[in-house]
Amino acid sequence: MKTTKIYFAITALSLMTWSCSNKNELSQSTLQSSLSSNTQSLTSAMNEISSSTAYQVLTNADGATTLGAMKVSAENTSTLALDSISLSDITGVYDFNKSKSSKKWNPSLLNFFTKTADSTIMLVRLPAEKVRNPRTLLTYNAADSALTNNYIFSLTDYKYRFNYNLWDYHMASTINIKGVEAGALNIQSSNSKSKGYQFGSGFAFANGFEAKCVYKRGDSVVSIYSISKESKVLYEEKFTAIKSSAMGGKHKEKEYSLTIGDVQITRKPGMNSLDSAKVYVAGVLQSKSKVEMVDQQTDSVETSITNHKRELKITFDDGTSATVTQLLGNATLENIRTLFVSLRQTYFATSIVDKIAWDIYRAKK
């Protein structure tokens, strides 16, 4: 009996040892295989997104020549009285009119667009070539007569409340390019003394992918960049910082996370400062893995991979390591960065729609 008990004890111990060893190996294998699988899925997603017509329009607009109403109003409005432009003020169908174009430069887009019909929403129809090059909207070109109004903004929501240097703005629009639904755009932006600057935008692509961007800056800084499909997160990076009196009022990083599929890397506050970064697979901590954060710029308010200012290096249990850049590849990472730069600026939309809205507002004054 005693021998039997010893045998069972040894067997149980062996099973426990094998189980722990097996779990460590499985954990290690799971992290590497999950990272490989998830980065491949993200790369495939970005290849689909970047080859779409909508992506080309989003990222090709000339941001340096933006005609956005928010910039115009901030530069030319000195009144402190609160005013606003609503969808009801700008409803109708506005067509780019080649025959109406003046041969002289004119700062008003109403000189190049004609209201051709009434509508309960606002439709702006113009050639796709003009969206890709907004500066050409304000100049006469005889070749424009051969262009077709094949790019259509359909605004279902629009509100722009403002006074000097303060605003509250939101819009919702679908975009049709050459008879094909390209996707839906949503923008919300505000600036106030009490809440600081806040911006959010999202674009739902026709192929099911959705990209969202959030940025807030005041006493705290928050940035979120995410790409998903059917509620499944493919990529998400979050950064949070708060003002620190110890740093002379500068923002100090509070929390950070990077999610690629079911792999998540996080760094949260500890006893005295930020804890070391941890990596999880499907919510399970990978205790044998190490994550290093290398900041390329330390004077930035927002430090993230998406804005070119951070790199993450993952060291596995077997001693091998890889950076996020190596895992994703330069092409995929640059497509992600370019997409979010466009969503942060949204020049492709505001360069035209906001300027027409502003010109209608000015014409009624």
Side-chain angles (χ1 to χ4, degrees), residues 30-32 34-35 38-39 224-226 233-239 255-268 276-287 289-291 293 305 312 314 324 327:
T30 299
L31 175 59
Q32 289 180 310
S34 292
L35 274 171
N38 291 324
T39 53
I224 304 173
Y225 305 97
S226 69
V233 175
L234 302 173
Y235 176 92
E236 183 176 76
E237 187 174 29
K238 296 181 180 180
F239 175 90
E255 192 169 337
Y256 173 85
S257 70
L258 174 69
T259 301
I260 301 176
D262 63 355
V263 176
Q264 185 180 53
I265 298 169
T266 65
R267 186 164 69 170
K268 298 182 179 181
S276 298
K278 296 178 175 61
V279 58
Y280 300 82
V281 176
V284 178
L285 176 65
Q286 308 299 292
S287 58
S289 300
K290 178 184 176 182
V291 178
M293 296 194 182
I305 291 174
L312 268 63
I314 304 170
V324 170
L327 289 166

Side-chain angles (χ1 to χ4, degrees), residues 80-344:
L80 294 178
L82 185 66
D83 211 338
S84 66
I85 307 173
S86 299
L87 180 62
S88 59
D89 298 319
I90 57 175
T91 56
V93 180
Y94 295 85
D95 283 291
F96 180 74
N97 190 338
K98 282 80 69 174
S99 63
K100 188 180 177 183
S101 302
S102 171
K103 292 185 179 182
K104 295 182 179 180
W105 184 86
N106 191 305
S108 174
L109 279 186
L110 292 182
N111 188 61
F112 299 87
F113 283 82
T114 299
K115 184 176 181 179
T116 56
D118 292 325
S119 175
T120 57
I121 62 174
M122 181 189 192
L123 279 84
V124 178
R125 303 193 292 212
L126 69 161
E129 292 83 355
K130 295 294 183 179
V131 180
R132 296 189 181 97
N133 299 282
R135 71 175 71 196
T136 64
L137 279 170
L138 301 180
T139 57
Y140 173 79
N141 188 336
D144 287 348
S145 59
L147 299 179
T148 303
N149 289 341
N150 54 11
Y151 190 106
I152 305 173
F153 280 109
S154 299
L155 271 74
T156 55
D157 183 29
Y158 191 90
K159 186 71 175 182
Y160 177 34
R161 300 174 71 247
F162 58 91
N163 61 12
Y164 184 67
N165 224 18
L166 302 173
W167 70 82
D168 183 9
Y169 172 94
H170 54 90
M171 73 169 288
S173 171
T174 58
I175 299 174
N176 183 293
I177 304 173
K178 298 180 180 179
V180 178
E181 294 298 330
L185 168 70
N186 285 277
I187 304 172
Q188 290 186 328
S189 176
S190 64
N191 189 46
S192 67
K193 293 180 180 179
S194 60
K195 296 182 179 180
Y197 173 71
Q198 301 188 50
F199 177 86
S201 66
F203 194 88
F205 291 85
N207 54 14
F209 294 103
E210 187 171 8
K212 291 183 179 180
C213 167
V214 173
Y215 182 79
K216 301 178 182 179
R217 181 169 181 173
D219 289 336
S220 62
V221 169
V222 177
S223 68
I224 304 173
Y225 305 97
S226 69
I227 300 169
S228 62
K229 185 173 185 179
E230 297 175 351
S231 300
K232 180 182 179 181
V233 175
L234 302 173
Y235 176 92
E236 183 176 76
E237 187 174 29
K238 296 181 180 180
F239 175 90
T240 303
I242 57 174
K243 279 187 178 180
S244 170
S245 56
M247 296 176 62
K250 292 183 178 180
H251 289 84
K252 181 180 179 180
E253 183 175 338
K254 179 182 179 183
E255 192 169 337
Y256 173 85
S257 70
L258 174 69
T259 301
I260 301 176
D262 63 355
V263 176
Q264 185 180 53
I265 298 169
T266 65
R267 186 164 69 170
K268 298 182 179 181
M271 290 292 292
N272 300 309
S273 61
L274 287 169
D275 281 339
S276 298
K278 296 178 175 61
V279 58
Y280 300 82
V281 176
V284 178
L285 176 65
Q286 308 299 292
S287 58
K288 299 294 183 179
S289 300
K290 178 184 176 182
V291 178
E292 298 174 73
M293 296 194 182
V294 181
D295 294 342
Q296 280 101 2
Q297 292 188 29
T298 57
D299 60 346
S300 173
V301 173
E302 174 201 352
T303 308
S304 64
I305 291 174
T306 307
N307 72 351
H308 297 78
K309 296 176 182 177
R310 172 165 286 175
E311 179 64 279
L312 268 63
K313 179 182 177 182
I314 304 170
T315 301
F316 303 103
D317 193 32
D318 61 3
T320 61
S321 62
T323 64
V324 170
T325 300
Q326 289 171 337
L327 289 166
L328 288 177
N330 287 319
T332 297
L333 193 53
E334 284 309 306
N335 281 337
I336 291 172
R337 287 167 170 168
T338 301
L339 172 62
F340 285 118
V341 166
S342 299
L343 284 178
R344 277 281 291 269

